[in-house]
Amino acid sequence: MKWTNKGKEYENTISNVINNNLDVYIWGAGTFGKSFYDLFKSRINIKGYIDSDPKKQGDNIPVKVYSPDFFCENLLKENTKIIVASGWITEIYKQLKKWGMRENENFFHANEFISLYMLYKENKVYTISLNIPITTYCTLRCEKCMALTPYVKRPENRKIEDLKEEVQA
Protein backbone atom coordinates (compact mmCIF):
# COMPACT_ATOMS: atom_id res chain seq x y z
CA MET A 1 0.00 0.00 0.00
CA LYS A 2 1.35 3.41 -0.94
CA TRP A 3 1.11 6.36 1.43
CA THR A 4 -0.46 9.03 -0.75
CA ASN A 5 -1.55 11.68 1.73
CA LYS A 6 1.43 12.07 4.06
CA GLY A 7 0.61 14.10 7.13
CA LYS A 8 -2.89 14.91 5.88
CA GLU A 9 -4.79 11.74 6.77
CA TYR A 10 -6.91 13.32 9.48
CA GLU A 11 -7.60 16.75 8.00
CA ASN A 12 -11.13 15.86 6.89
CA THR A 13 -11.84 14.18 10.22
CA ILE A 14 -10.82 17.07 12.44
CA SER A 15 -12.23 19.71 10.11
CA ASN A 16 -15.67 18.32 11.02
CA VAL A 17 -15.28 20.10 14.34
CA ILE A 18 -12.61 22.80 14.24
CA ASN A 19 -13.67 24.65 11.11
CA ASN A 20 -17.34 24.89 11.97
CA ASN A 21 -19.31 26.46 14.77
CA LEU A 22 -20.99 23.24 15.80
CA ASP A 23 -22.74 22.13 18.95
CA VAL A 24 -20.41 19.79 20.83
CA TYR A 25 -21.43 17.57 23.72
CA ILE A 26 -19.09 15.60 25.96
CA TRP A 27 -20.24 12.09 26.78
CA GLY A 28 -18.95 11.54 30.28
CA ALA A 29 -19.39 13.98 33.17
CA GLY A 30 -16.67 12.40 35.29
CA THR A 31 -13.07 13.43 35.85
CA PHE A 32 -11.98 12.89 32.24
CA GLY A 33 -14.99 14.76 30.83
CA LYS A 34 -14.44 17.68 33.17
CA SER A 35 -10.75 17.83 32.25
CA PHE A 36 -11.69 17.82 28.57
CA TYR A 37 -14.14 20.66 29.21
CA ASP A 38 -11.51 22.72 31.03
CA LEU A 39 -9.05 22.26 28.17
CA PHE A 40 -11.54 23.10 25.38
CA LYS A 41 -14.16 25.45 26.85
CA SER A 42 -12.64 28.43 25.07
CA ARG A 43 -11.73 26.55 21.90
CA ILE A 44 -14.95 24.84 20.79
CA ASN A 45 -18.68 25.34 21.39
CA ILE A 46 -19.40 22.88 24.22
CA LYS A 47 -23.14 22.86 24.90
CA GLY A 48 -23.33 20.19 27.60
CA TYR A 49 -22.53 16.74 28.89
CA ILE A 50 -24.25 13.42 28.30
CA ASP A 51 -24.08 10.89 31.12
CA SER A 52 -25.97 7.71 32.02
CA ASP A 53 -25.63 8.32 35.77
CA PRO A 54 -28.97 9.68 37.04
CA LYS A 55 -27.16 11.35 39.96
CA LYS A 56 -25.28 13.61 37.51
CA GLN A 57 -28.17 14.37 35.16
CA GLY A 58 -29.60 17.85 35.50
CA ASP A 59 -26.47 19.23 37.15
CA ASN A 60 -24.63 22.20 35.69
CA ILE A 61 -20.95 21.32 36.10
CA PRO A 62 -20.44 23.99 34.53
CA VAL A 63 -22.69 23.07 31.61
CA LYS A 64 -25.83 20.97 31.88
CA VAL A 65 -25.70 17.16 32.09
CA TYR A 66 -28.31 15.35 29.97
CA SER A 67 -29.42 11.75 30.00
CA PRO A 68 -28.71 9.83 26.78
CA ASP A 69 -32.45 9.44 26.13
CA PHE A 70 -33.21 13.14 26.61
CA PHE A 71 -30.25 14.06 24.44
CA CYS A 72 -31.34 11.74 21.61
CA GLU A 73 -34.96 12.89 21.69
CA ASN A 74 -34.39 16.64 22.10
CA LEU A 75 -30.86 17.77 21.28
CA LEU A 76 -29.43 15.46 18.63
CA LYS A 77 -29.15 17.34 15.34
CA GLU A 78 -27.25 16.85 12.12
CA ASN A 79 -24.56 19.34 13.09
CA THR A 80 -24.09 17.96 16.62
CA LYS A 81 -20.75 16.37 17.49
CA ILE A 82 -20.01 14.20 20.51
CA ILE A 83 -16.68 13.78 22.25
CA VAL A 84 -16.54 10.53 24.22
CA ALA A 85 -14.63 11.11 27.45
CA SER A 86 -15.59 8.02 29.40
CA GLY A 87 -14.23 4.57 30.15
CA TRP A 88 -17.45 2.97 28.84
CA ILE A 89 -16.37 3.36 25.23
CA THR A 90 -17.74 0.10 23.84
CA GLU A 91 -21.22 0.70 25.24
CA ILE A 92 -21.27 4.37 24.26
CA TYR A 93 -20.06 3.66 20.72
CA LYS A 94 -22.81 1.05 20.30
CA GLN A 95 -25.42 3.59 21.43
CA LEU A 96 -24.09 6.30 19.13
CA LYS A 97 -24.03 3.97 16.14
CA LYS A 98 -27.59 2.90 16.99
CA TRP A 99 -28.53 6.58 16.70
CA GLY A 100 -27.03 6.59 13.19
CA MET A 101 -23.84 8.42 14.11
CA ARG A 102 -20.44 7.60 12.60
CA GLU A 103 -17.09 7.52 14.37
CA ASN A 104 -14.70 10.32 13.37
CA GLU A 105 -17.55 12.10 11.65
CA ASN A 106 -20.26 12.64 14.26
CA PHE A 107 -18.43 11.40 17.34
CA PHE A 108 -14.82 11.21 18.46
CA HIS A 109 -12.81 9.66 21.25
CA ALA A 110 -11.49 12.47 23.46
CA ASN A 111 -7.85 11.31 23.36
CA GLU A 112 -7.81 11.19 19.57
CA PHE A 113 -9.67 14.48 19.31
CA ILE A 114 -7.23 16.28 21.63
CA SER A 115 -4.21 15.08 19.68
CA LEU A 116 -5.70 15.94 16.30
CA TYR A 117 -7.07 19.32 17.39
CA MET A 118 -3.76 20.41 18.87
CA LEU A 119 -1.85 19.26 15.78
CA TYR A 120 -4.12 20.67 13.07
CA LYS A 121 -5.51 23.75 14.80
CA GLU A 122 -2.67 24.87 17.08
CA ASN A 123 0.32 23.22 15.42
CA LYS A 124 1.33 21.52 18.69
CA VAL A 125 2.05 17.91 19.51
CA TYR A 126 -0.07 16.71 22.43
CA THR A 127 0.44 13.26 23.87
CA ILE A 128 -1.88 11.55 26.29
CA SER A 129 0.88 9.64 28.03
CA LEU A 130 4.61 9.36 27.91
CA ASN A 131 6.79 6.55 29.24
CA ILE A 132 10.43 7.24 29.92
CA PRO A 133 12.41 4.31 31.30
CA ILE A 134 14.81 5.43 34.02
CA THR A 135 16.46 2.07 34.41
CA THR A 136 16.86 -1.18 32.52
CA TYR A 137 17.73 -3.13 35.67
CA CYS A 138 15.17 -5.57 36.98
CA THR A 139 15.38 -8.51 39.33
CA LEU A 140 11.98 -10.01 38.58
CA ARG A 141 12.71 -11.45 35.13
CA CYS A 142 9.06 -11.69 34.19
CA GLU A 143 8.53 -13.90 31.15
CA LYS A 144 6.20 -11.40 29.42
CA CYS A 145 7.89 -8.19 30.55
CA MET A 146 6.44 -5.18 28.70
CA ALA A 147 9.69 -3.26 29.22
CA LEU A 148 11.73 -6.15 27.77
CA THR A 149 14.26 -5.83 30.61
CA PRO A 150 15.05 -9.57 30.67
CA TYR A 151 16.51 -9.17 27.17
CA VAL A 152 18.71 -6.12 27.82
CA LYS A 153 22.36 -7.12 27.35
CA ARG A 154 23.89 -4.23 29.36
CA PRO A 155 21.41 -2.85 31.92
CA GLU A 156 21.93 0.71 33.08
CA ASN A 157 20.45 3.44 35.24
CA ARG A 158 19.95 6.54 33.15
CA LYS A 159 21.31 9.88 34.27
CA ILE A 160 18.83 12.59 35.20
CA GLU A 161 20.54 15.01 32.80
CA ASP A 162 19.96 12.60 29.91
CA LEU A 163 16.29 12.19 30.85
CA LYS A 164 15.77 15.97 31.04
CA GLU A 165 17.43 16.42 27.66
CA GLU A 166 15.26 13.71 26.14
CA VAL A 167 12.06 15.31 27.41
CA GLN A 168 13.10 18.75 26.13
CA ALA A 169 13.88 17.45 22.63
Side-chain angles (χ1 to χ4, degrees), residues 39-61:
L39 183 62
F40 281 95
K41 63 187 171 193
S42 62
R43 292 178 163 113
I44 59 176
N45 188 24
I46 300 173
K47 301 295 262 182
Y49 290 99
I50 306 165
D51 203 288
S52 299
D53 184 351
K55 294 176 188 166
K56 294 177 184 174
Q57 295 164 6
D59 284 353
N60 288 300
I61 53 168

Side-chain angles (χ1 to χ4, degrees), residues 15-83:
S15 69
N16 283 325
V17 175
I18 64 173
N19 295 331
N20 301 305
N21 190 19
L22 304 168
D23 293 344
V24 177
Y25 290 83
I26 302 168
W27 194 313
T31 304
F32 187 28
K34 290 175 186 175
S35 295
F36 183 91
Y37 177 85
D38 289 340
L39 183 62
F40 281 95
K41 63 187 171 193
S42 62
R43 292 178 163 113
I44 59 176
N45 188 24
I46 300 173
K47 301 295 262 182
Y49 290 99
I50 306 165
D51 203 288
S52 299
D53 184 351
K55 294 176 188 166
K56 294 177 184 174
Q57 295 164 6
D59 284 353
N60 288 300
I61 53 168
V63 289
K64 191 158 182 147
V65 182
Y66 301 97
S67 73
D69 290 339
F70 181 87
F71 174 80
C72 180
E73 293 168 12
N74 301 289
L75 302 171
L76 183 60
K77 301 178 224 158
E78 190 173 319
N79 67 338
T80 300
K81 304 298 180 186
I82 297 175
I83 308 295

